[in-house]
Amino acid sequence: MDIKTNLNNFNKKTENTHCKLVAVSKTYPPEEILKAWNLGQRMFGENKVQEMTEKWEVLPKDIQWHMIGHLQRNKVKYIAPYVHLIHSVDSLRLLKEINKEAFRNERIIDCLLQIHIAAEETKFGLSEEEAFSILNSDEFQTMGNVRITGLMGMATNTTNQEKIRGEFQFLRALFEKIKSAFSGNSRINITELSMGMSSDYEIAIEEGSTMIRIGSAIFGKRDYA
Ligand SMILES: *Cc1c(COP(=O)(O)O)cnc(C)c1O
């Protein structure tokens, strides 16, 4: 299958839902991204700062770049001028750094809190308690240049569909809980639920995802992660 067929399929699958498509272009060269751009795709996801920045430099400026991978504090400055949404905020210290660099660039940067929902130890993310503690902190209240717009999560890499569904349901429930707990707070506007990848997006959409992050099912198999 080519990029055009794959993108059309995803556009069809999401057209009657509230779900947006982030095309995960990590490891693919700018030419492949341009093919998708020519077909109308504007939201792209990357997991490495240097790779995303190199692509941002050479590709059309109307692309919305989504940082979906683990982000180190010392690299925030490279993406702060242009990043559209950071999906992977997993500490107050990281959020503080994003706020500092957003201020320098005279921007407000939208962020999602990454929640640990998978069984695997290796996946990054916050617990429910940690997420509440960030949002309730006095320090967060002083950060004028970041806005929390939702949650992101990655389900366990398993063929057990019910396990994946259970993890997405947990994330959806937390999303609703945080949304109602912080309604009326100008720095917290919970609208986005980023969940679902090539292997599990169908379940994610059924469970209320507003953003699926699709790589290999659009661009083809990657040689490395
Ligand atoms: C690579 C990646 C994806 C996309 O994975 P595919 O299986 O290729 O769709 C989604 N989310 C994150 C955080 C990723 O790192």
Side-chain angles (χ1 to χ4, degrees):
M1 293 276 215
D2 58 0
I3 290 179
K4 182 172 183 181
T5 313
N6 294 338
L7 260 185
N8 283 342
N9 281 342
F10 275 102
N11 286 331
K12 234 175 250 140
K13 278 181 215 252
T14 52
E15 76 186 351
N16 291 318
T17 70
H18 293 291
C19 197
K20 294 177 278 292
L21 174 64
V22 179
V24 176
S25 48
K26 63 187 184 194
T27 79
Y28 296 98
E31 305 81 77
E32 297 295 296
I33 299 175
L34 209 47
K35 281 185 199 166
W37 183 86
N38 277 317
L39 297 162
Q41 180 66 27
R42 291 295 180 271
M43 299 168 76
F44 291 90
E46 292 281 339
N47 68 342
K48 296 204 169 77
V49 164
Q50 191 181 341
E51 185 176 344
M52 184 163 90
T53 303
E54 285 169 7
K55 289 170 175 174
W56 166 70
E57 281 166 356
V58 299
L59 284 162
K61 289 293 173 278
D62 65 348
I63 288 180
Q64 298 177 351
W65 291 102
H66 291 239
M67 173 45 67
I68 62 172
H70 184 63
L71 181 57
Q72 287 170 293
R73 279 176 294 141
N74 60 359
K75 295 192 175 164
V76 171
K77 57 178 175 287
Y78 301 111
I79 64 170
Y82 69 90
V83 69
H84 181 73
L85 179 64
I86 298 174
H87 291 229
S88 45
V89 172
D90 60 359
S91 72
L92 186 60
R93 287 165 82 209
L94 174 60
L95 199 58
K96 199 174 159 185
E97 182 67 19
I98 296 168
N99 183 64
K100 187 179 100 190
E101 294 298 330
F103 177 78
R104 279 200 193 164
N105 285 278
E106 300 179 19
R107 300 185 65 205
I108 290 175
I109 296 182
D110 286 346
C111 297
L112 307 181
L113 295 181
Q114 181 172 356
I115 307 295
H116 182 104
I117 57 171
E120 292 110 335
E121 281 289 332
T122 53
K123 297 208 170 139
F124 294 102
L126 300 160
S127 67
E128 173 169 349
E129 293 70 31
E130 289 166 334
F132 270 93
S133 124
I134 288 176
L135 297 174
N136 280 317
S137 68
D138 293 339
E139 200 166 14
F140 174 68
Q141 289 310 316
T142 68
M143 298 181 192
N145 292 73
V146 286
R147 189 164 46 209
I148 302 295
T149 60
L151 305 181
M152 184 271 249
M154 289 170 85
T156 303
N157 184 10
T158 172
T159 54
N160 182 341
Q161 309 278 296
E162 287 319 301
K163 181 165 178 57
I164 294 170
R165 189 178 297 280
E167 291 170 357
F168 286 154
Q169 284 172 347
F170 169 81
L171 190 59
R172 166 71 188 271
L174 182 57
F175 168 86
E176 299 296 346
K177 199 167 160 181
I178 290 180
K179 189 184 195 161
S180 63
F182 297 96
S183 70
N185 185 317
S186 63
R187 300 187 200 302
I188 308 173
N189 180 23
I190 303 294
T191 56
E192 301 297 347
L193 184 55
S194 168
M195 60 184 195
M197 329 196 334
S198 293
S199 57
D200 56 21
Y201 69 88
E202 278 156 321
I203 306 173
I205 293 173
E206 285 166 14
E207 298 304 334
S209 173
T210 69
M211 262 181 196
I212 49 174
R213 309 177 309 269
I214 308 292
S216 49
I218 293 174
F219 294 103
K221 211 167 165 301
R222 283 184 301 273
D223 295 335
Y224 58 102

